Amino acid sequence: MPTLRIEQPDDEARLKDWQHVHNVIVPPAAMSLDEVRERVRRNHLEVAYLGDVLVGCTTVRPPTDDTATAMVIARVLAEHRGQGFGEELYVRGLKQARELGAEVIETVVLAANEDGLRFARKHGFIEIERYVLPGETAEWVDLRLA
C-alpha cells in the first residue's frame, strides 16, 4: 500500500484541506474556516495526503474531565476508499485517543454515509443512538467501540 503523509493542519492550506474533506463527507454539518480554526484548538485534527493528493482527514476529540470517552472520526474521500487509507487513519486516531487517556471510544457517522457505517461496524463499533438535530433533517448515528 502506498504511504500516506499525515500532517496536523497548522497553516491555512491544511486547514482548508481538512475543511474540504469534512464538508464533502458530511455536508449537513459543513463548517466555515473559522469553525475549523476553533475546532483545531480543542481537538486533534490531521490531514492525509498521498504524495500531494488530498485523501482524507481525522478528528480525535479528547476525553473531557468528567468522562474517559474520546471521539475518533476517520474520513476518506470516496475516490480513495477501499485502499486501506481509512484503516491507517483509524488506527492512528485510536492510538492518539488512548494516549490522551480514553477508556471508551465513540464515533459519529451521517446515516446516509453507508461506507462510513460499514467501516465502523467492521471495526467493532456498535450503534448506540440515532437522532436528528433540532431544526435539521439529516440523521446521525452514534457508535461505540465494543
Side-chain angles (χ1 to χ4, degrees):
M1 178 177 82
T3 303
L4 287 179
R5 178 172 47 91
I6 301 172
E7 301 178 3
Q8 290 186 289
D10 55 7
D11 63 18
E12 285 295 300
R14 287 183 190 92
L15 287 170
K16 288 178 182 177
D17 284 349
W18 188 96
Q19 176 193 28
H20 173 77
V21 174
H22 176 274
N23 290 353
V24 165
I25 294 176
V26 286
M31 298 176 71
S32 70
L33 197 51
D34 284 339
E35 290 171 316
V36 175
R37 285 186 192 105
E38 188 279 325
R39 184 166 287 196
V40 77
R41 286 192 291 271
R42 59 186 167 84
N43 296 319
H44 185 84
L45 308 182
E46 291 186 329
V47 187
Y49 302 90
L50 186 58
D52 292 330
V53 177
L54 180 62
V55 170
C57 72
T58 60
T59 300
V60 176
R61 186 179 311 150
T64 58
D65 293 340
D66 61 340
T67 177
T69 302
M71 180 78 63
V72 175
I73 304 170
R75 302 175 195 89
V76 175
L77 294 169
E79 61 270 25
H80 300 290
R81 292 180 186 158
Q83 300 176 57
F85 301 136
E87 181 76 23
E88 185 175 343
L89 293 173
Y90 166 69
V91 167
R92 184 179 172 98
L94 184 61
K95 181 179 183 236
Q96 291 166 350
R98 299 270 190 233
E99 288 171 353
L100 293 168
E103 295 175 14
V104 177
I105 305 293
E106 292 184 348
T107 195
V108 61
V109 180
L110 184 61
N113 181 354
E114 295 176 13
D115 287 343
L117 287 172
R118 189 172 24 261
F119 181 90
R121 290 181 179 125
K122 175 184 169 191
H123 288 84
F125 284 87
I126 298 170
E127 184 175 325
I128 56 174
E129 181 180 15
R130 283 184 182 247
Y131 56 92
V132 175
L133 295 171
E136 297 186 12
T137 58
E139 184 177 37
W140 298 91
V141 182
D142 284 347
L143 303 108
R144 181 172 293 148
L145 188 59

